[in-house]
Structures are given as structure tokens and as C-alpha cells.
Amino acid sequence: MSLGRGLAFVSLVGLVVAAPLAVLAAPARAESHCVVQVVGQETDGELLLGDPNCFESFGAAAASIAGVGLASVTGPELFGDASVQVALSQFTLGVHFDAFNGVGSSIAVVGSNCNGGYWNTSIAWSNRISSSWNGCPRLRHYDWANRSGASADTTGVGTTDNLPLIMSNRTESIAYLGS
């Protein structure tokens, strides 16, 4: 092998080795944990959601759902406040994660019932969900918007289930069901 060809070979090997190392060194996407409130429902059952309130940690998002800010309000005035009444009548329908086993970024949907209302995922969450925590007994994840296409359920109030591999990262709508 001539000196020129040898240097070219070494340079090529250097590029092949350096490229994967650069990918490994790339910073990971920061996690985001958002909470959205159901503010209404269309006649077909589609849930209307308020703007997401996002946090850097899951704990901060959970604290916002639990109403930690209400701790300073005590006595009868607590129940006379309309915003407190809404908070007390709502609960987490489901928390959806972009990785298996309830890890990664999340979005929690907070509403008042598990009567089959459904959420068409936002662009940010379309085809991204891999696991869900159930606030309702059954969450039905659909491949397409408006409760259509293939579906897979996660079940059990208070449990986190992984979606089957065939449905992982393929959810575009979710129905929140009582059974």
C-alpha cells in the first residue's frame, strides 16, 4: 500500500469511528412534564383541553395536580372558591409517557370522569406514547385520531402499563373509560 493510500485509509477509519462517538456525545433531549385540564367536551365525546402547564420534573407536575398551592387556604372559604370546587371535582384521567415503564417526558390529562371522552393528541404527543398510568380503569389508545384505527388498552386504576410494541409510538387518540 502506498503512503497516500495508507493515509486515506487511516482518515476513513477515523471518520467511521469518530461519527458514532459524536452521536453518543450529543446531549439528550430535556424531559418535559406537562399537565392539561379538560375544559369542555364536544358532542362526539372529544375532550377540549386548556393550554399545557409544563415543568422540568415529574414531581413538580404531580404537585401542581395535587393542588399544593391550596394548602394555605383553610376553613369554609376553601369550599366557596369556584376554582377550588373545580380542582376538587377533577382527577388525573391518565398520564402518558414517551418511554416504557412510565419514564421519560410525560403529559397528564386531568378531568372529571371516565365516561368515554377522548383526547386527540396534540402534534407534540402524536405517535410518541409508549406507556400510560391509568387514573381511569381503562385507557384505550388508538392508532389514529377520533378513536379510529387499531387500538390497545392499558388497564387497572393506579397502574402503569406499556403499550404493546405494535402500538408503541403510534397513539393519536385516547379514550378514558370506566370499564
Side-chain angles (χ1 to χ4, degrees), residues 8-35:
F9 177 75
V10 170
S11 295
L12 180 61
V13 169
L15 285 174
V16 170
V17 171
L21 292 177
V23 170
L24 291 175
R29 181 174 69 185
E31 284 187 11
S32 175
H33 302 277
C34 300
V35 177

Side-chain angles (χ1 to χ4, degrees), residues 36-146:
V36 291
Q37 297 271 339
V38 174
V39 296
Q41 189 168 357
E42 296 285 352
T43 56
D44 71 348
E46 181 179 1
L47 300 175
L48 303 174
L49 304 177
D51 291 332
N53 191 8
C54 298
F55 304 86
E56 290 183 10
S57 73
F58 184 77
S64 79
I65 294 169
V68 171
L70 302 177
S72 64
V73 181
T74 59
E77 69 272 11
L78 175 69
F79 298 103
D81 184 315
S83 64
V84 172
Q85 290 175 9
V86 169
L88 292 174
S89 69
Q90 296 199 352
F91 62 95
T92 304
L93 304 178
V95 182
H96 311 290
F97 300 90
D98 68 357
F100 287 116
N101 302 316
V103 298
S105 292
S106 65
I107 186 163
V109 178
V110 177
S112 60
N113 68 62
C114 301
N115 293 335
Y118 70 96
W119 169 49
N120 280 328
T121 60
S122 62
I123 291 173
W125 280 92
S126 183
N127 297 314
R128 183 174 167 190
I129 297 168
S130 293
S131 61
S132 290
W133 176 88
N134 286 35
C136 292
R138 180 178 309 278
L139 306 182
R140 182 158 294 147
H141 300 75
Y142 291 92
D143 193 13
W144 299 330
N146 302 312

